[in-house]
Amino acid sequence: MEKVIIICGIYSFLFGIFHLFFWRFFKWKKDLAKLSQVNKGIVQILNIQLIFFFFSMAFICFFFTKELTETRLGKVFFIVNSGFWATRIINQFMFLKMNDYRVHLLTFIFFIGFILFLVPVVY
């Protein structure tokens, strides 16, 4: 189970890295200029908070592996993270109603996160 937890940490870490590049990937300097100052700020703040969240989840998986496997709090940690990814999948369908291979690819990757974080709960 410890290997699965390390993989969960790697998964979270990679999502933190991915979010670091959102400004460049999504041309936010240009596109966010169209938004009000408040909405532009909210989008960027939410992204920074997600980066912090993903790196925090990775840190916990890497350095508290034993505690995660041996405590009820560890099970709750994995349930919450699995729920995070399940919610993300639902949001894909609610807000990104696009028939684009990138959206489908991301949905599949989010499903992997949902399953990865669910495995330590079930076993």
Side-chain angles (χ1 to χ4, degrees):
M1 194 54 54
E2 290 182 6
K3 287 181 183 179
V4 172
I5 295 172
I6 296 301
I7 292 169
C8 288
I10 293 167
Y11 182 89
S12 296
F13 182 78
L14 291 175
F15 259 99
I17 297 293
F18 179 55
H19 275 263
L20 284 172
F21 290 95
F22 269 29
W23 284 266
R24 182 177 302 149
F25 288 159
F26 298 107
K27 299 175 178 77
W28 276 5
K29 188 173 187 175
K30 177 185 154 219
D31 284 356
L32 293 183
K34 301 170 189 171
L35 298 177
S36 70
Q37 188 65 35
V38 170
N39 285 330
K40 179 168 50 171
I42 290 170
V43 168
Q44 293 180 89
I45 290 167
L46 287 172
N47 190 56
I48 291 166
Q49 292 302 119
L50 279 173
I51 293 165
F52 177 81
F53 173 78
F54 290 133
F55 286 152
S56 297
M57 296 307 100
F59 177 83
I60 291 168
C61 288
F62 294 149
F63 296 103
F64 296 94
T65 308
K66 184 177 179 184
E67 291 86 344
L68 290 173
T69 61
E70 296 177 354
T71 65
R72 284 183 12 190
L73 181 58
K75 284 219 183 280
V76 170
F77 172 85
F78 290 111
I79 290 168
V80 167
N81 274 280
S82 184
F84 174 89
W85 291 110
T87 304
R88 184 62 180 89
I89 292 166
I90 292 165
N91 287 330
Q92 282 285 102
F93 293 108
M94 289 174 53
F95 297 105
L96 296 176
K97 298 176 183 176
M98 304 162 32
N99 192 13
D100 184 302
Y101 77 94
R102 294 170 291 192
V103 172
H104 300 307
L105 177 63
L106 282 173
T107 302
F108 177 72
I109 292 169
F110 301 150
F111 182 74
I112 291 171
F114 166 70
I115 296 299
L116 269 175
F117 281 96
L118 192 59
V119 167
V121 175
V122 182
Y123 292 99

